[in-house]
Amino acid sequence: MEIKKIISHAKEYGFIFPSSDIYEGLSAVYDYAHNGVELKNNIKNYWWKAMVDLHSNIVGIDSAIFMHPTTWKASGHVDAFNDPLIDNKDSKLRYRADSLVEEYCEKLDNKILKEISKAKKRFGKDFDQKKFIETNPKVSKLKKKVEKILNRLNTSLENSDLNDVRNLIIELEIACEKSGSKNWSDVKQFNLMFSTKLGATSGSMTEIFLRPETAQGIFVNFLNVQKTSRLRVPFGIAQVGKAFRNEIIARQFIFRMKEFEQMEMQFFVPPGTQKEWYKKWMNKRMEWHKSIGMGSENYRFKNHEKLAHYADAACDIEFKFPFGFRELEGIHSRTDFDLSNHERFSGKNLKYFDPKLEKNYIPYVVETSIGLDRIFLAVLSWSLREDKLNDGTTRKVLKFPVFLAPIKLAVLPLVKKDGLPQYAKKIFDDLKLSYSTQYDEKDAIGRRYRRQDAIGTPFCVTIDYTTLDDDTVTLRDRDHMKQERIPLASLENILNEKLNVRNWLRAN
Ligand code: ATP
């Protein structure tokens, strides 16, 4: 589904509003409305349960957003947390120079995919994709071109040769998508951290930063946590919290925001074992994603060719968003970079004594880092469908994985009279103790079903005249729109079976 439709559905049905809407909004900043908060909390809870509750060697933390300013010197963010930006001199639009080149390559990749699917159709069962890619002259030429461009981009960025990045954009004849102009400025590095001032008097003000990642709150607490939890390396620390980045190129709704939430876990391991743990966490995190039930074909790994200043291996888990495969989660082998630097900058000994190996060392770190808002967008965009119904009408439905649905149940009296509302309210008062439940008696029952479909409520419990006679209710299923008559006494058990998060967690 087009992203535009997802944005308008999110606003109309109380998931996400633009921030400060009455003042025309604020670019790349959003507010979560009721259904959005519920969905976000359910995702967060699922992550926390899988990472912390299911691992006896992972504990949680909630560190502050403000940190001592030296933290960001030690982490390298003051010097190296930059995006290479380029302006189009005619349209005045600003772009990330590396993204312009990467998007150019993505178009070539799409051409390759088209050739493959054409050939698949032509050769049918006998199609050998690997051989085709290797031997088809058009495809191998395109593949070589992509490789050459990306290699040059990475080398130029690694060598801080921003002039060459600009030359590459000009040689590839990349144009501004709005104006078509190829009149580009120089490429300049732009630091992504927001800063503010701390202190009571103007003379004593210190510049501090809004954290651009939650990870540093974990690193500076490494020894505090290790000592109080009495865990031994290997162990992990998990955290969910806000992070802030001054993203200049903010597009694609909540995919790239200036204020967003991260769910991160730093896993501390003995030096030399990081590669092994990196592979383990890659697989574990992919399994977690797949356990949500949004189709294995919508995920893939992407290896980082260009490594961040702190990493010795890194990859992304990408998801098929409406605008193509994009990063959903990063998995990084961060070496001992952060802890070593904090030791150097703070002058405190951050070494760990390993009783098994009988030696002191600075642990290596494998990190899993996922954007909560990004997975929210993945879930929302995957779930939103327009179903054609047998009677020729369409319905908008959010087919959320049921354990993530913001509202699990709606209790609906068929009509607003003859004691049906009173009976329904009793059921509602009981069910709301266990599940997020709505009561609705306004409008015809069909319209009420549509309203619940549009916010993704998996089950509706309807009370009709038969209920008054025999204490049975109908349970309507969102996806198939089937209604089943069941005794009221069995409702709780049936719902427990269908909604319990344990069923999904078992796959982890
Ligand atoms: P990108 O390449 O998309 O800018 P990144 O590689 O800089 O992302 P990391 O620093 O690895 O991202 O952050 C870990 C995760 O945090 C990302 O996988 C993503 O899900 C999320 N994230 C990063 N930046 C943003 C943002 N501006 N808005 C929303 N989520 C973000």
Side-chain angles (χ1 to χ4, degrees), residues 81 83 96 192 212-213 245 247 254-264 304 310 316-317 327-332 367 369-375:
F81 194 54
D83 272 350
R96 249 175 83 166
L192 294 174
E213 62 174 23
R245 295 182 188 178
E247 304 271 9
I254 55 170
F255 182 83
R256 191 174 296 287
M257 298 156 89
K258 290 185 172 143
E259 175 181 344
F260 58 100
E261 255 177 290
Q262 288 187 315
M263 303 193 288
E264 294 202 306
H304 282 207
Y310 49 72
D316 297 334
I317 293 178
E327 173 176 348
L328 177 60
E329 169 156 8
I331 297 153
H332 310 123
E367 157 184 276
S369 174
I370 172 170
L372 180 50
D373 314 86
R374 266 194 204 176
I375 186 167

Side-chain angles (χ1 to χ4, degrees), residues 155-173:
T155 314
S156 311
L157 288 173
E158 259 161 37
N159 299 337
S160 303
D161 187 354
L162 299 182
N163 225 352
D164 192 54
V165 178
R166 178 175 186 268
N167 289 342
L168 187 57
I169 289 171
I170 287 168
E171 282 166 36
L172 296 173
E173 299 190 5

Side-chain angles (χ1 to χ4, degrees), residues 424-477:
K425 272 190 188 144
K426 255 202 214 150
I427 298 180
F428 168 67
D429 284 339
D430 188 48
L431 288 177
K432 73 181 181 192
L433 299 173
S434 312
Y435 311 102
S436 55
T437 309
Q438 279 189 356
Y439 173 82
D440 189 4
E441 58 178 28
K442 282 185 223 105
D443 300 320
I445 191 76
R447 287 189 69 178
R448 281 181 272 161
Y449 285 148
R450 289 290 168 281
R451 272 205 292 271
Q452 295 301 330
D453 289 343
I455 60 168
T457 308
F459 301 105
C460 291
V461 179
T462 309
I463 286 83
D464 56 17
Y465 287 105
T466 314
T467 313
L468 300 183
D469 289 339
D470 65 2
D471 289 322
T472 59
V473 294
T474 59
L475 187 63
R476 177 191 181 263
D477 163 285

